[in-house]
Amino acid sequence: MQYPEYRPRRLRKNELMRRLVRETQLSVDDLIYPLFVIEGTKVKKPIASMPGNFQLSIDYLVEEVKQTRDLGIPAVLLFGIPDRKDEMATGAFVKQGIIQKAIRAIKKSVPDILVVTDVCLCEYTSHGHCGMLEGDEVDNDATIEVLAETALSHADAGADMVAPSAMMDGQVCAIREVLDEKGFEQIPIMAYAAKYASAFYGPFRDAAESAPQFGDRKSYQMDPANGDEAIREVTLDVGEGADIIMVKPALPYLDIIGRTREEFDLPVAAYSVSGEFSMIKAAANMGWLDERQAMMEATTAIKRAGADIIITYFARDIAGIIG
Ligand code: PBG
């Protein structure tokens, strides 16, 4: 059937008609809101490159988590900024670490929201790499043991789900084994399965104070040019016991989200990263685009591509609109 018989514009005539045939709906239920926690009290330090986001001490963090819960958002994703960093990433797994304390505080005051934790070492190592160094290289197998210990410490503090993001081979397997061994077989793993070495993490590294002190992350995070490799990475994580598989970043990798959705029968998460947020904010501040429309369009596109879960710094703004 061709023009003039079929006229697609008939179904775009007005908003009611468009609503009727709209294929993709964002839901508050899909959203995870990331938060940054730091030592101290009454600290709310703005992150310059991410307007509206803050490094929060635990007292303020709990308040933000309450507001997030009140908006109906089901989960927060926590990142910790420790007081001290060392070669061994000690702050990542100790009982009195910043994340461990934050989890306990949230669980005590806001029991009705899921606490998901990023499991990585870059915020805790003095050199800023995501694992243990051997010379100038990140030692894979030494690192996965520390990641497993870190995930266990999060579960022990009360985390509802752990999200390993270091891109070490075998990290999901190592974490699953130790969680099962210690009685946390009911704690799911959301695996950063296809995580690219991306320039779009720039603002996050300010937020989490986690930029590598030398070199880059290209020997462990994926080459942005590769798509088939993402499928191999996801296949491995599924085999190792991942419960949710994540693609990150989101907007420049919609094809990877789509392929992952098609090829795997597990919930797919997409992380719309700091740079995706900041570039919309910055352009909007310049008056170059409409922030609200750009935010909704970008996030809807991520869902349309196949994401079941979207981690986004816009989560609260979106919930305010659709909630
Ligand atoms: C690693 C981690 C990073 C992000 C999430 N987890 C940074 C990195 O790999 O360099 C980036 C998130 C974002 O940019 O919003 N701990």
Side-chain angles (χ1 to χ4, degrees), residues 33-36 44-56 64 67-68 207 277-278 281 285 291 312-317:
Y33 186 57
L35 285 163
F36 301 94
K44 185 170 181 177
K45 200 170 153 213
I47 300 161
S49 55
M50 300 172 69
N53 290 266
F54 302 86
Q55 294 179 337
L56 300 160
E64 296 282 328
Q67 290 171 24
T68 307
F277 170 85
S278 298
K281 280 277 177 193
N285 280 342
E291 177 175 338
T312 170
Y313 301 95
F314 284 124
R316 283 164 49 157
D317 296 336

Side-chain angles (χ1 to χ4, degrees), residues 76-192:
V76 290
L77 175 62
L78 294 188
F79 294 95
I81 304 137
D83 255 355
R84 259 169 289 131
K85 305 182 187 238
D86 60 27
E87 298 253 305
M88 306 303 294
T90 311
F93 51 81
V94 288
K95 205 170 175 143
Q96 287 305 321
I98 182 67
I99 283 289
Q100 292 76 3
K101 288 189 291 188
I103 298 166
R104 289 192 292 266
I106 295 171
K107 282 287 136 193
K108 201 167 141 212
S109 309
V110 207
D112 48 349
I113 192 164
L114 297 172
V115 176
V116 187
T117 56
D118 186 80
V119 177
C120 192
L121 306 181
C122 61
E123 297 108 285
Y124 304 92
T125 52
S126 41
H127 44 73
H129 277 287
C130 299
M132 303 291 105
L133 288 188
E134 176 72 50
D136 277 357
E137 295 286 322
V138 176
D139 180 340
N140 191 88
D141 295 7
T143 300
I144 61 178
E145 284 177 33
V146 183
L147 290 169
E149 197 177 338
T150 301
L152 176 62
S153 74
H154 294 179
D156 214 31
D160 296 291
M161 179 153 74
V162 293
S165 71
M167 285 302 278
M168 294 297 129
D169 298 337
Q171 63 184 14
V172 173
C173 181
I175 291 171
R176 188 70 272 161
E177 263 177 20
V178 76
L179 290 181
D180 288 358
E181 201 179 294
K182 303 289 184 182
F184 294 108
E185 65 283 336
Q186 292 299 329
I187 299 292
I189 298 175
M190 176 166 71
Y192 288 69

